[in-house]
Structure formats: C-alpha cells, structure tokens
Amino acid sequence: MVRRDRWQKLLLVLLVTGGLLSCSPPTAPSATVTPNETISEQRELLGTYVQIQVAGLPETSAREAIAAGFQAIEQLQADAHPELPSSDIFRLNQNAGQAPVKIHEDIFDIISLAREISEHSQGAFDVTFVGIGRLYNLRHPENFRIPNDEELRQALQRVDYRQLQLDPANHTAYLTRTDMAVDLGGIAKGWSTDSAMAALKARGVKNAIVNAGGDMMVSGSKNGEPWRIGIQHPRRGRDDYFAVIKASGDLAIVTSGDYERYVMHDGVRYHHIMDPHTGRPASLSQSVTIIAPNGVLADGLATAVFVLGPEAGLAMLAQYYPQCDALIIDRDGKRHDSPNLTKRHTVINVAEKH
Ligand code: ADP
Ligand code: MG
C-alpha cells in the first residue's frame, strides 16, 4: 500500500495548533486584525506543503512578513537544489573528483553541519546518501522496485561522507570521487523552517510557527499561550497523536517516521529513511521526534537517531547534542524519552482513542 498523506499531516498539525480555525481567509479585505488573531498562509515548496502562521501583528505586516518567509525558502531552493545549475550543490557534484568549489558562507555552514552529523552518527546519517535512495524509486511509488544485491553493493561504494572534504578557511568543498554526490534533502525541510523564521524576524515578527511538511519551528507564543504541536502516532490513524508538546520561545520540533512515504512488499515496510550501512530501510525505529534550538539540527538528528535506534541514538544525543531532546517510538512500539525531555519541555501524553 502506498500512502501520500502530507495534506492530512498538515491538517492534523493545523488543527492541533488551531491554525485552520483561527486564520483569516486570504482575501479578507480588512487591513488590521485584533492582536488575538493569527494570519496563516501555505504554499507548495520543496515537494511538500509549507505553512507559515503569524500571531499578534496587523494583517498587512503579517502578510508581508509571510511573503518574505516563503521568499527565503525559494532562495534556499535556488542555492542548494542539486539539479539547479544555479546551486552550490550542483557545482560541488559537477566538480566531484576534479576540483574543490567555493561555497556561499550560509550553505557552507549547512554542509558542515550535515557532515558533522554524519560523523557523530558514524554514518547513520550520511550526507552522500542519495545514491541509495534513488534505487528504490520511493518518490514515484508506482515505479517502486527492490534493488538486487549487486546494485546495492555498487551503490554503497558511493556512499561515504568521509569523501566530502571541507575547508572552512576558504569555504571550499570537494568530493573526492567522480561517482559520488551530496544532497541536502535529509535536512532541507528543517533548514527551510529556520530560513523562513529568520526572514519573519527580520520583519519584526515575534510570534510565529513555520511548518514544512510536519517539521516545525516556533517562535514566541500564540497570543500568550504556548504553541501546541501534536506528535503523530506512527501506527495509529492520521488523526491520532500520542503526545502534544507545548512550545514557546525559539524551538524546532521535527519528526522522522517510517509511515511518511512507504511501500509494503511481502510484509516488509520499504520507507524513505535508509540505513547507509546496509542500503536497506532502517528498522530500529517507527518514529523519532527531536526538539532542538533550530530546525536544520533537529531534522538531521531525527534521521540520524531514527537509523541508530533508541539506544545508540540517545547515546549520541547525550554525547554531542545534550541541548536536544527526543521522543522515540522503537520498532516494537515502545516509547523512549531523552532523560531531560520532561524537565525542559511540557509534554502532554494523549491516551489511545477507542
Ligand atoms: P521526512 O520529514 O520526509 O520524514 P526525513 O527528515 O526523515 O524526511 O528525511 C528523509 C529524507 O532524508 C529522505 O527522503 C532522503 O532524502 C534522506 N535520507 C534518508 N535516509 C538518509 C540517511 N541515512 N542519511 C541522510 N539522508 C537520508
Ligand atoms: Mg530528517
């Protein structure tokens, strides 16, 4: 069975945060709103639906800021999409095995972080992973296929983050092998929420939530109340979440799950988060939610911890990212929280619906 259910996920999150209920229609003629209203817009970007919601600002300023937020994501796409000749990643891959290329400073920082997470997770997250992902065609489930052992063996040879050399002094990046490629897809959504939030703040927004296909970045509060983020249960229905996180201030909440994009075949769930050591779908987790200071970190760590599983995943967080928290549902459906989760955040557990 194939599920493409981003809309439903977005709707769920909107309902939990009250977004759909409180936003004004896009054509609303009034120039101002009372401080208790929120303005919300969404667009299709990065292959998903991005929603930006702003609270406590007059409508005109809110909409201008939201437009700037979307613009920031479009810019990011132009700068980092691996298939656009305008992008640094395109040039990096074109020059693989030939020469280092100069990278814009902000993109360089993201590549560095992606490589750092690759290293700290010992390749559970791998910034050169794209060659494996392609083999399964999960983006076009009608063409889904299972690669044979030889195809996997060859693809695995082209996955190795250590072949990505970074020179921070000159802001250059170099992939040592011609047949390898870098792709920031595993962190693009989280990164986009950071970029949009920065653009909102530059226009005076203090209270907002950016939702890129379920990856959330919040800032401030919703009219004095914390934003409420529902966490979808990986094996229950779409409208069924097992926890709600009350978030205020600057916080990213990102979930990676095996229910997002998958194909069931002979009882095996082929989903979009792969273990770069085997070339097969990672099987130790059903879902991983990371709470972190920013979206790009949360996004990368969600994928890394998903692949590592609860034990090694929580150990990595404790060692390298103690500022981050996690809620993990393991392969048996058992929940594992990071030790400081409820000390640092308000988490409401939601009973199973009957
Ligand atoms: P989503 O939010 O869509 O669930 P994730 O944040 O979980 O996405 O990331 C999944 C995406 O990351 C995949 O579509 C793929 O592009 C990439 N990816 C999958 N496995 C890995 C991995 N082990 N290392 C790096 N990137 C990965
Ligand atoms: Mg991720």
Side-chain angles (χ1 to χ4, degrees), residues 31-244:
T32 56
V33 291
T34 66
N36 279 344
E37 283 185 71
T38 64
I39 304 289
S40 171
E41 291 183 23
Q42 64 199 16
R43 285 194 202 165
E44 202 174 344
L45 283 167
L46 305 168
T48 188
Y49 292 96
V50 180
Q51 187 220 6
I52 301 179
Q53 192 180 155
V54 167
L57 266 194
E59 177 169 355
T60 317
S61 336
R63 290 202 189 280
E64 276 170 19
I66 289 172
F70 286 125
Q71 165 71 34
I73 298 178
E74 278 164 11
Q75 186 63 49
L76 174 155
Q77 215 166 355
D79 291 343
H81 196 290
E83 278 148 36
L84 291 178
S86 62
S87 94
D88 284 356
I89 303 299
F90 180 90
R91 286 188 308 108
L92 169 62
N93 292 338
Q94 285 286 307
N95 287 286
Q98 296 169 46
V101 297
K102 193 97 179 154
I103 306 281
H104 290 96
E105 199 174 328
D106 50 340
I107 314 275
F108 188 87
D109 289 346
I110 301 291
I111 298 176
S112 303
L113 178 69
R115 196 185 181 294
E116 181 202 282
I117 296 174
S118 306
E119 206 168 291
H120 289 162
S121 68
Q122 298 182 337
F125 178 94
D126 193 309
V127 65
T128 63
F129 142 94
V130 65
I132 298 175
R134 266 193 220 120
L135 290 177
Y136 292 84
N137 274 333
L138 279 168
R139 283 195 176 273
H140 306 281
E142 62 285 2
N143 298 328
F144 167 74
R145 57 187 292 277
I146 299 169
N148 62 39
D149 289 350
E150 179 55 19
E151 287 172 309
L152 270 184
R153 197 186 60 77
Q154 288 187 16
L156 285 172
Q157 285 179 353
R158 297 193 290 270
V159 176
D160 181 3
Y161 64 89
R162 286 164 296 200
Q163 305 307 318
L164 172 63
Q165 298 180 349
L166 300 176
D167 178 350
N170 296 309
H171 286 149
T172 60
Y174 177 50
L175 261 179
T176 62
R177 290 178 50 160
T178 46
D179 56 357
M180 287 181 65
V182 161
D183 187 318
L184 298 178
I187 51 172
K189 285 192 293 173
W191 180 18
S192 76
T193 65
D194 293 340
S195 303
M197 191 60 87
L200 293 175
K201 287 189 173 179
R203 278 156 189 82
V205 172
K206 294 196 168 49
N207 306 293
I209 183 162
V210 180
N211 174 0
D215 288 6
M216 320 285 285
M217 176 80 204
V218 308
S219 192
S221 64
K222 186 177 182 186
N223 308 314
E225 293 293 320
W227 297 97
R228 295 164 66 91
I229 313 292
I231 310 299
Q232 161 84 44
H233 191 284
R235 293 294 181 269
R236 297 189 207 150
R238 264 296 134 180
D239 57 347
D240 211 336
Y241 39 90
F242 68 90
V244 174

Side-chain angles (χ1 to χ4, degrees), residues 232-237 257-259 269 285-287 329 331 333:
Q232 161 84 44
H233 191 284
R235 293 294 181 269
R236 297 189 207 150
D258 66 4
Y259 52 90
R269 179 183 289 256
S285 316
Q286 296 179 358
S287 92
I329 305 290
R331 64 170 159 197

Side-chain angles (χ1 to χ4, degrees), residues 186 256 299-300 302-303:
S256 281
D299 196 358
T303 304

